[in-house]
Amino acid sequence: MSRNKLLAIIISTLALLSGCQSMADEATIGIAGRVVNADRSIIILNASLNGSGVSGSGGDECCMSIPAKWKPGMTATLSWTKDPSPDINPDGKSAPVIKNGISTPEWKAWMANHRKNYRTIEKTIPLPKYGETCGVTFVFLPCDDARVILDCDERYRLFRTLPGGKDHYPELIRRMGGRAVCQ
């Protein structure tokens, strides 16, 4: 083996090891995740932060991993898969009726075509400051706008006094600085 090849292998190995070492030094904590979908025209199928995620079914799910301590300048990759037209296929056909909760061959064929609608979106975001965390709350707003809440006090401030009924999501969108109508 030539000296240059050997040197390249050594440098590559050291670079990989130093990357692993820096990740090993980063203490993490396991927390629950939850999806809040304020865009009633879509369905969120799943969401993740740096590859650690939850389904879009609602409620707390365990477990995600985040750095134990927030530091200024931290960023994360926020990724989600959405169904932008829950009841219509790319060919314009509506979902067949399911009787007695049993999937028919027609429904299975419709669903196979329907999955072509799904869209995955990925954004790098600044990781919001957190102290005490009550888990990751993914909030999906209209216009493919998404936010992440990690801090307990922030989550409490945003959700504590939300009205019920038809004003719930419009008020959440307003509080989070989102747009109700896309341009």
Side-chain angles (χ1 to χ4, degrees):
M1 182 180 304
S2 75
R3 183 175 178 201
N4 287 341
K5 279 188 177 181
L6 182 60
L7 187 57
I9 291 171
I10 291 171
I11 290 172
S12 297
T13 303
L14 288 173
L16 285 171
L17 290 175
S18 67
C20 291
Q21 182 61 37
S22 67
M23 287 172 46
D25 289 343
E26 187 70 48
T28 60
I29 57 173
I31 57 174
R34 165 182 290 248
V35 168
V36 176
N37 182 8
D39 184 348
R40 306 318 291 162
S41 69
I42 66 169
I43 292 176
I44 300 296
L45 301 166
N46 58 59
S48 68
L49 195 63
N50 286 344
S52 182
V54 295
S55 74
S57 60
D60 287 344
E61 291 182 33
C62 189
C63 280
M64 297 181 58
S65 180
I66 63 167
K69 299 250 186 252
W70 179 84
K71 297 175 190 148
M74 290 176 82
T75 61
T77 301
L78 171 61
S79 178
W80 69 97
T81 303
K82 71 175 189 171
D83 181 346
S85 55
D87 299 320
I88 304 293
N89 264 356
D91 59 10
K93 292 183 181 173
S94 296
V97 176
I98 297 178
K99 295 180 182 173
N100 299 325
I102 298 171
S103 300
T104 62
E106 295 80 21
W107 185 85
K108 289 178 183 177
W110 185 88
M111 209 46 219
N113 188 27
H114 185 73
R115 287 185 182 94
K116 295 174 190 172
N117 286 338
Y118 295 175
R119 299 289 174 258
T120 299
I121 301 168
E122 189 173 282
K123 296 180 179 182
T124 300
I125 61 166
L127 202 58
K129 185 176 182 176
Y130 58 93
E132 182 182 346
T133 184
C134 297
V136 176
T137 303
F138 296 94
V139 181
F140 294 93
L141 306 169
C143 312
D144 291 331
D145 190 6
R147 311 289 166 80
V148 174
I149 303 166
L150 294 161
D151 188 74
C152 284
D153 291 337
E154 180 67 8
R155 185 164 98 173
Y156 182 73
R157 184 187 68 76
L158 285 167
F159 289 93
R160 174 176 53 110
T161 59
L162 278 175
K166 65 179 177 57
D167 295 330
H168 183 80
Y169 289 116
E171 177 59 16
L172 179 59
I173 293 166
R174 186 196 68 76
R175 287 182 186 187
M176 299 205 75
R179 293 179 291 167
V181 178
C182 304
Q183 298 167 347

